[in-house]
Amino acid sequence: MSHSLKNHKEKKSRKTIKVPDFRKYSTKILVKKIFKSSSGIKILWDDNTSTYYNRFWLRENSPDPQTTHPDSREQLINLLSIPDDLSIKCAEITESGKVRIVWSPENKESFYDYSWLRFWGENRFNKQVGLPKQELWKNFSDKGLPKVTWSKENQNECLLKWLQHLKAFGLSLLKGVGSSPKGLEEILETFAIIKESNFGKIFDVKFEEEPISNAYTNIELPLHGDLCTRQFMPKYQFLHCLENSTEAGESLLADGFMLAKILKEKDPFAYNSLTKIDVHFINKAENSDYQWVEKVINLNKSGEVTEMRLSPWLRGPVCGNKEEEEHFYKAFRTFMKLAEDTDFQEKIKLEKGDILGFNNTRILHGRNAIGKGGERWLRGCYMDGDDVDSTLRMGRIPRPL
Ligand SMILES: [Fe+2]
């Protein structure tokens, strides 16, 4: 028997809210039993799983209007105003299925929505709440590059699908957006703020007589990430193809996280060197001097790869002793050879009206040399990751066209 019913009526507040945020929570799994302890409660659910909640976390998230502002849903209570000796006098299930807690020494009662408790009990350790799971790839020779065709009438569904692919695979192609020079900004600004850099808000990738970057030449560009010289590399890069009538000039793409995984399996010592030894990343320009010191492969505390800094032409000295520097070069050359393996690359010739989006901290990008004749004009920009994540969690584009 679930939700063993107790007849406690919630007091009518000036504005009753069920949960201390704006998310919609629902679960079909009911509370079977509640166990209280000196530090919090444990809930045993109908599916025989259990979840734990700390007393202070529960107390400061009480959805009553003294604790949580009913409009902003932000906390009104100061954590320090909660007594040190906070304890749970009573924890039980009400008639409506809520979890009722009576606090001591305050002698205050709080009512918690069980779906909210279930969600945060399950997602406590989830660092990607509400987001698609990352899927590593070697190439897309079987199923083709993830893509979506643009439709202004169905822009919500279309952009969400595009961003889901972008989040999961690290790249995604949006086709058929036309070739208006303003098109890139117009579409991206429906859900995000474009990140400006010293290359401007929007940059044009086309041949220049006096280039400030190798990107603005016709030469081949080996696989790389952009702006490795910055503390915060732009998370995403978008390239809108306005013209591509030249011979060759195909875009090359590789999943840097997959390459790191393969390197770890094949040559753990090289992997270790690239995740441990710092190197200077230094730009080369007459009017700027951007520098940052970091590893090539960056990991989080759980040892998962979170960022790749592959910059074949913008590196300074290695921050290491004689042996470490030697290890670094050996490891970096091994990694570059791996990145050159065409089995781990996707090659695509962008077409007029395509927008290619990719995770600049994961996907390595480059291009074949551009042939003679015709014109190749890509418009590009950068973006941080938060707007993409927020849009995916909301499940809708915040500012449709
Ligand atoms: Fe680039």
Side-chain angles (χ1 to χ4, degrees):
M1 168 70 184
S2 299
H3 282 353
S4 57
L5 306 178
K6 293 272 172 71
N7 192 16
H8 285 286
K9 289 243 159 61
E10 252 183 285
K11 281 178 198 151
K12 287 280 171 212
S13 57
R14 65 184 163 94
K15 188 171 182 182
T16 305
I17 56 169
K18 284 164 64 180
V19 293
D21 59 44
F22 290 94
R23 293 179 71 94
K24 304 254 183 300
Y25 298 92
S26 81
T27 179
K28 290 195 168 98
I29 302 160
L30 303 177
V31 176
K32 199 184 231 178
K33 209 166 175 186
I34 305 173
F35 303 90
K36 67 185 175 81
S37 67
S38 56
S39 60
I41 60 167
K42 183 172 96 171
I43 294 180
L44 177 66
W45 299 89
D46 243 5
D47 61 355
N48 284 327
T49 58
S50 61
T51 48
Y52 170 79
Y53 309 87
N54 176 273
R55 59 187 165 143
F56 285 105
W57 186 75
L58 285 171
R59 177 61 192 88
E60 69 168 340
N61 281 290
S62 177
D64 67 82
Q66 288 75 42
T67 308
T68 305
H69 194 290
D71 295 320
S72 72
R73 311 267 170 119
E74 291 175 359
Q75 274 131 337
L76 288 168
I77 199 167
N78 179 341
L79 183 59
L80 294 181
S81 69
I82 300 172
D84 292 341
D85 59 348
L86 178 76
S87 69
I88 294 162
K89 198 189 282 179
C90 165
E92 59 189 4
I93 308 158
T94 70
E95 198 175 345
S96 61
K98 290 197 170 179
V99 170
R100 174 181 177 260
I101 290 183
V102 182
W103 300 102
S104 171
E106 294 174 295
N107 207 27
K108 173 189 173 60
E109 57 179 1
S110 300
F111 293 87
Y112 299 94
D113 181 87
Y114 68 95
S115 300
W116 175 80
L117 286 166
R118 172 82 189 186
F119 184 86
W120 287 111
E122 283 186 320
N123 284 285
R124 177 192 303 278
F125 298 102
N126 181 0
K127 292 178 185 165
Q128 297 287 309
V129 170
L131 298 175
K133 249 181 111 185
Q134 180 174 278
E135 293 184 49
L136 302 187
W137 52 270
K138 289 181 177 169
N139 58 56
F140 292 100
S141 55
D142 288 344
K143 48 185 180 177
L145 200 78
K147 61 168 92 64
V148 174
T149 301
W150 169 247
S151 153
K152 194 175 173 187
E153 291 68 40
N154 295 317
Q155 56 182 289
N156 206 56
E157 292 72 21
C158 162
L159 290 178
L160 281 174
K161 194 78 205 154
W162 187 47
L163 297 183
Q164 278 162 6
H165 288 330
L166 182 63
K167 191 74 191 172
F169 300 106
L171 53 72
S172 186
L173 194 60
L174 185 62
K175 294 197 71 68
V177 301
S179 53
S180 156
K182 282 269 175 204
L184 182 65
E185 276 169 271
E186 282 171 2
I187 288 181
L188 296 185
E189 286 179 344
T190 61
F191 62 88
I193 293 161
I194 290 169
K195 181 172 180 155
E196 224 168 330
S197 75
N198 61 318
F199 293 101
K201 180 180 174 187
I202 300 288
F203 49 85
D204 288 306
V205 185
K206 55 175 160 179
F207 179 79
E208 287 180 10
E209 291 293 342
E210 292 181 23
I212 56 163
S213 163
N214 286 353
Y216 306 153
T217 66
N218 280 339
I219 61 172
E220 175 197 346
L221 290 180
L223 290 171
H224 66 282
D226 277 15
L227 305 193
C228 297
T229 56
R230 313 302 158 89
Q231 179 177 5
F232 301 108
M233 286 174 73
K235 180 85 171 185
Y236 293 108
Q237 180 170 173
F238 295 88
L239 294 170
H240 182 194
C241 180
L242 298 177
E243 194 59 68
N244 202 3
S245 53
T246 56
E247 281 173 31
E250 295 92 351
S251 302
L252 303 174
L253 300 152
D255 187 345
F257 289 6
M258 173 58 97
L259 293 176
K261 185 170 178 267
I262 295 168
L263 182 71
K264 190 178 181 183
E265 288 160 8
K266 285 193 167 172
D267 190 341
F269 190 81
Y271 178 83
N272 208 37
S273 299
L274 295 184
T275 57
K276 296 268 179 342
I277 302 171
D278 279 327
V279 61
H280 287 266
F281 293 94
I282 304 176
N283 84 319
K284 293 164 191 181
E286 288 183 310
N287 296 312
S288 62
D289 192 0
Y290 294 99
Q291 298 194 23
W292 189 247
V293 175
E294 196 52 273
K295 284 98 189 153
V296 170
I297 301 172
N298 291 286
L299 311 175
N300 63 16
K301 282 186 211 155
S302 314
E304 297 155 338
V305 180
T306 55
E307 182 190 82
M308 178 71 59
R309 288 188 186 237
L310 187 75
S311 182
W313 57 86
L314 294 178
R315 271 175 298 100
V318 176
C319 298
N321 60 29
K322 203 166 70 177
E323 286 75 28
E324 285 167 336
E325 195 166 9
E326 193 63 20
H327 293 328
F328 175 85
Y329 271 103
K330 191 161 185 281
F332 193 62
R333 286 160 62 92
T334 303
F335 188 70
M336 283 185 75
K337 269 184 215 147
L338 192 61
E340 277 183 3
D341 188 333
T342 49
D343 282 351
F344 306 133
Q345 286 182 4
E346 187 64 26
K347 185 164 78 172
I348 175 183
K349 180 148 187 179
L350 291 176
E351 295 174 353
K352 199 169 173 172
D354 288 352
I355 296 180
L356 173 68
F358 59 91
N359 180 339
N360 182 55
T361 64
R362 168 181 167 188
I363 303 298
L364 309 173
H365 67 285
R367 69 156 186 247
N368 284 335
I370 298 166
K372 290 205 166 64
E375 195 191 352
R376 186 179 190 267
W377 179 16
L378 308 182
R379 294 210 103 178
C381 67
Y382 301 117
M383 189 186 287
D384 284 329
D386 303 299
D387 289 331
V388 170
D389 289 357
S390 167
T391 303
L392 284 170
R393 289 193 186 101
M394 293 294 293
R396 64 181 158 83
I397 302 300
R399 301 176 290 278
L401 281 173

